[in-house]
Amino acid sequence: MEFLHFVRRALVAQFSGLPPRDEFVRHALDAGVGSLPLLTLLTIFAGMNLSVQAYGTFVRFGGQDLLGLFCGVGGIRELYPVMAAVICGARIGATLAASLANMQISEQVEALEVMAVDPMRHLVAPRLWAVTLMLPLLCGYADVVGLAASYWAAVDQMGVNGGTFMEQVRDIVHLEDLAAGVFKGVVFGWLVALVSCYHGYRALKRDGAEGVGVATNRAIVHSAVLCIVLNMFLSALLYVR
């Protein structure tokens, strides 16, 4: 019930008007630009690994020319959006939870309330908007980087015909698949920000520094689990007819 009450307050704060611009820009840059190095590195290796694993199986049946189909569908529909949500969600969620927990423990939130400033609107709403808008962009970026890495591994390292690879990607991956990945990014971004803000906001002053660590740990674990579980339901909704 406490979580549902927080969700209601967060929704009211988020959609009651535009968030404070400076706070929104700061968190958007941290969530988006700050996540690019880690996401780029891991997505490159994930894309290459997708080609290597698929090639090792398909070549046994003479189906190595189907590598583009597998990498396109498996990567863009499922792997890269979930990777962006879990990897960036862990990084972003830890930052959000730690910052809010530290503000609670140091009584900065109480100080805002004393000055008649709504903490939900000033602290939570900009974080929700920033991550909700940045994560779908990160999902789209991961699609491009991951597919390029899969192409390089398949064509340059395993000798798959590049034209055949890209033709299969064009035939099997449609605009709605890219849109589905972006839609997942919006949902995952909002969920990560909400869960992280909740755990940071409910930290207690008596918990001290340990409370910051507990809030951060819970935010990372709960965000990752919820994103992976929710992904299954979203995939069933989008792709099972």
Side-chain angles (χ1 to χ4, degrees):
M1 291 302 294
E2 182 182 354
F3 178 69
L4 294 179
H5 178 64
F6 182 85
V7 172
R8 184 186 64 81
R9 293 180 62 197
L11 285 172
V12 171
Q14 184 176 9
F15 293 102
S16 62
L18 295 176
R21 185 182 62 181
D22 293 342
E23 283 289 303
F24 168 76
V25 171
R26 180 167 66 87
H27 290 295
L29 289 175
D30 179 68
V33 178
S35 299
L36 286 179
L38 179 63
L39 181 62
T40 301
L41 177 65
L42 296 182
T43 304
I44 287 174
F45 282 98
M48 293 169 60
N49 185 61
L50 197 62
S51 286
V52 170
Q53 293 289 344
Y55 182 85
T57 301
F58 288 170
V59 74
R60 300 176 188 175
F61 311 102
Q64 59 269 27
D65 288 337
L66 297 175
L67 209 57
L69 182 151
F70 178 80
C71 293
V73 172
I76 291 176
R77 283 187 177 184
E78 294 298 324
L79 179 61
Y80 305 133
V82 174
M83 275 193 61
V86 173
I87 295 170
C88 298
R91 178 193 168 275
I92 297 167
T95 302
L96 297 184
S99 63
L100 284 177
N102 185 62
M103 294 181 74
Q104 279 283 18
I105 292 170
S106 61
E107 300 182 346
Q108 296 180 53
V109 175
E110 292 182 15
L112 289 176
E113 293 173 345
V114 169
M115 294 186 294
V117 176
D118 183 7
M120 296 296 293
R121 175 162 169 72
H122 186 76
L123 299 177
V124 175
R127 288 166 167 82
L128 287 174
W129 277 118
V131 183
T132 302
L133 295 178
M134 287 297 108
L135 200 54
L137 298 179
L138 292 173
C139 287
Y141 173 78
D143 286 342
V144 175
V145 173
L147 189 59
S150 294
Y151 176 90
W152 179 82
V155 175
D156 288 1
Q157 302 302 308
M158 287 169 284
V160 175
N161 183 273
T164 302
F165 185 99
M166 291 308 300
E167 183 180 357
Q168 289 180 355
V169 172
R170 287 192 296 267
D171 288 342
I172 197 65
V173 178
H174 304 293
L175 184 60
E176 52 264 31
D177 295 313
L178 298 173
V182 172
F183 171 71
K184 286 183 177 182
V186 172
V187 177
F188 294 154
W190 186 80
L191 187 64
V192 165
L194 181 70
V195 172
S196 302
C197 288
Y198 168 72
H199 285 299
Y201 198 82
R202 68 192 294 265
L204 300 176
K205 182 171 64 174
R206 66 171 180 267
D207 294 333
E210 183 181 354
V212 177
V214 170
T216 302
N217 180 66
R218 288 177 176 172
I220 294 172
V221 173
H222 293 171
S223 296
V225 170
L226 287 173
C227 286
I228 292 174
V229 172
L230 184 60
N231 179 67
M232 189 276 292
F233 291 102
L234 289 176
S235 296
L237 177 67
L238 293 169
Y239 300 121
V240 176
R241 298 290 187 264

